[in-house]
Amino acid sequence: MMAHAPGKLVLSGAYVVLDGAPALVAAVDRYAVADTARACQFVSDELRAAFGPLAPPFVDTSALRDEGRKLGLGSSAAAILAALWAHAAETRPGDEPARLRDELARRAYAAHRAAQGGGSGVDIVASAFGGVRLCARQPDALPEHREVVLPAGLVIEAWACPQSGSTPALLGQVRRLRQGQPEAYAAAAAGAHEGARAFAEALGRGDEVGCLEGLGAQRAAMRALGQAAGAPILTPAVLALGDEAEAEGAVFAQAGAGGGDVSLYFGRRPSTPGFRARAAALGLRPLALALGAPGAGFGPPPGGALPQTSS
């Protein structure tokens, strides 16, 4: 039996979602695919936490990578959910998907958290439920979430960075700052909190200008947080391109934890040829992603892509 689960992009609220700020996460149209008819060739810590002594199904996450390099699209969360859905398809064929969704999301969250030693859970929300969702962290539980609609006038472009970021390493550096120098952390993160709240409020109004202002405040705060923590949250290329974007009335920032992977261009119109040329010169390239993909489910993913390799 086969099942699939989408990847994600964190559009707003990175890092400070762990402190209670609202986060916006979108499911994307790239999928992990699981197949119970094939043996799992590599059992990750997350799959081991989800299945215990049981053998998990084969899982393919290659669509969430770029020539073998991770893109920061939540492949571990998508892999758990795809595997759990495939297992349910084989062992609980009479259960309705709507009844399974909440249960499997909670199981995936618990496994992901156990394997990674924490995390906000917004990647599990996106992969399990799909769409574009505004999330609020809950203590030791799957985040509260609701589906929202992005303003029609807000353009979002994804750009693949030339390097991958290590989310656990970046989170660890920020965690050490928060624990060892709480005042320095609070000062650096304050703008991110304010920006995340402003973005969420503007989103509710359908106000793309307010969204851009909130995103700009978060970008500036992420730069300050990275400097305070000694963490490369914004890469040199993203810092340089941020000035180019600002001149266009746009915001260019890292998605999620940063350090590479995927960067995001937010504007009221598409990026200009000049920006694109500068981005290409710095090693970035446009990444075709559609936001708001459906959540995990039975069968092959939309488009019919089938597993090729285990990851």
Side-chain angles (χ1 to χ4, degrees), residues 30-49:
R30 294 198 180 197
Y31 301 86
V33 184
D35 186 354
T36 62
R38 302 172 68 180
C40 188
Q41 298 173 9
F42 171 72
V43 181
S44 66
D45 291 340
E46 291 84 2
L47 288 175
R48 189 173 291 108

Side-chain angles (χ1 to χ4, degrees), residues 111-122:
H112 202 250
R113 185 176 175 83
Q116 299 200 353
S120 68
V122 299

Side-chain angles (χ1 to χ4, degrees), residues 177 183-192 220-222 224-226 228:
L177 176 69
E183 292 182 358
Y185 171 80
M222 287 300 103
L225 183 60

Side-chain angles (χ1 to χ4, degrees), residues 165-194:
S166 173
T167 298
L170 291 168
L171 288 173
Q173 289 174 275
V174 172
R175 186 183 304 113
R176 286 190 290 274
L177 176 69
R178 185 169 59 241
Q179 294 172 347
Q181 303 178 60
E183 292 182 358
Y185 171 80
H193 277 274
E194 294 172 5

Side-chain angles (χ1 to χ4, degrees), residues 65-225:
R65 298 175 180 270
D66 181 39
E67 297 180 350
R69 181 175 64 83
K70 86 177 193 71
L71 288 170
L73 298 179
S75 59
S76 61
I80 297 173
L81 280 155
L84 288 173
W85 275 84
H87 183 257
E90 185 170 74
T91 60
R92 301 163 61 177
D95 283 12
E96 291 292 331
R99 296 178 59 187
L100 283 171
R101 195 167 304 279
D102 285 336
E103 176 193 335
L104 298 185
R106 290 193 297 270
R107 286 179 57 187
Y109 170 78
H112 202 250
R113 185 176 175 83
Q116 299 200 353
S120 68
V122 299
D123 44 2
I124 296 292
V125 166
S127 192
F129 297 94
V132 180
R133 294 188 174 267
L134 194 63
C135 301
R137 190 187 183 206
Q138 302 299 302
D140 301 321
L142 193 70
E144 289 185 352
H145 57 92
R146 60 182 176 88
E147 191 163 14
V148 296
V149 177
L150 292 166
L154 183 65
V155 173
I156 303 175
E157 297 175 358
W159 289 78
C161 294
Q163 74 274 14
S164 296
S166 173
T167 298
L170 291 168
L171 288 173
Q173 289 174 275
V174 172
R175 186 183 304 113
R176 286 190 290 274
L177 176 69
R178 185 169 59 241
Q179 294 172 347
Q181 303 178 60
E183 292 182 358
Y185 171 80
H193 277 274
E194 294 172 5
R197 287 193 293 268
F199 177 87
E201 291 171 0
L203 188 67
R205 301 191 302 268
D207 175 9
E208 64 266 20
V209 173
C211 285
L212 290 172
E213 291 173 350
L215 291 163
Q218 290 180 75
R219 183 188 187 280
M222 287 300 103
R223 181 175 188 174
L225 183 60

